[in-house]
Amino acid sequence: MTVDEFLTWAEGRPGRYELVDGEVFAMSPERARHGLVKYAAQTALNRAIETAGLPCHMMPDGMTVRIDAATTFEPDALVYCGPPVDLDAIEVPNPVVVVEVLSPGTRSVDSGTKLIGYFQVASLCHYLILDPVKRLLIHHRRGQGSSVETHIVSDGVLDLTPPGLQIAVADLFVRV
């Protein structure tokens, strides 16, 4: 199945799905911890955009990122810059930041297939993987040429340049 065929097939269908190499995968229900960390990350990104005064936008989960002709992902949050997307859009074509919150069943996909896939998107600068149990942030940043730099942090301030966002790592996680 192609991405265009998938998007037509998925629209209006109950549940959430991703397409990987032409094969449809249903997304599992979320645990409360996952949902709360996802919301914390979305809120922190939104606040950072407002504080920086940038022409960027945070989109919550449910938006599609096209990786190639046969693969799409739905990150838990994303940031893109420029004019707002059409309100009927289901796809964000130029994400700068994508966020995935680890779940017990997604750890290997998020750190393998998605890591490789997201950096195929030319506009992507940062891929954040949040581990809600260990309260760790794995920050993958586009480096020189085709390299990807990785930093694992549990505190401090996260610098997402470009586009120029500053976020306290603690704000990405639920306070318990």
Side-chain angles (χ1 to χ4, degrees), residues 29-39 101 132 174:
E30 296 176 352
R31 296 173 188 238
R33 179 188 336 259
H34 182 101
L36 291 170
V37 170
K38 179 171 62 173
Y39 178 73
V101 178
V174 168

Side-chain angles (χ1 to χ4, degrees), residues 13-149:
R13 187 175 298 272
R16 293 180 45 217
Y17 305 89
E18 290 182 321
L19 183 71
V20 180
D21 294 328
E23 187 176 347
V24 176
F25 290 90
M27 297 173 71
S28 299
E30 296 176 352
R31 296 173 188 238
R33 179 188 336 259
H34 182 101
L36 291 170
V37 170
K38 179 171 62 173
Y39 178 73
Q42 293 167 353
T43 302
L45 287 166
N46 230 1
R47 199 173 15 229
I49 291 167
E50 290 174 8
T51 299
L54 296 171
C56 299
H57 312 274
M58 186 284 299
M59 295 300 290
D61 62 323
M63 297 305 298
T64 298
V65 174
R66 183 183 301 244
I67 303 304
D68 58 35
T71 303
T72 66
F73 298 140
E74 278 192 21
D76 290 317
L78 66 82
V79 172
Y80 72 94
C81 299
V85 296
D86 183 292
L87 293 179
D88 289 325
I90 56 175
E91 185 177 354
V92 175
N94 296 306
V96 178
V97 178
V98 293
V99 179
E100 294 284 359
V101 178
L102 290 180
S103 296
T106 66
R107 182 174 304 277
S108 64
V109 172
D110 290 344
S111 59
T113 303
K114 288 188 177 183
L115 171 60
I116 293 165
Y118 280 132
F119 279 102
Q120 290 178 36
V121 178
S123 63
L124 190 82
C125 297
H126 306 276
Y127 174 34
L128 309 179
I129 301 174
L130 303 175
D131 185 328
V133 174
K134 295 180 181 176
R135 296 179 62 84
L136 287 175
L137 162 67
I138 305 164
H139 176 198
H140 300 286
R141 175 193 303 260
R142 189 177 299 277
Q144 297 290 352
S146 61
S147 70
V148 174
E149 302 167 0

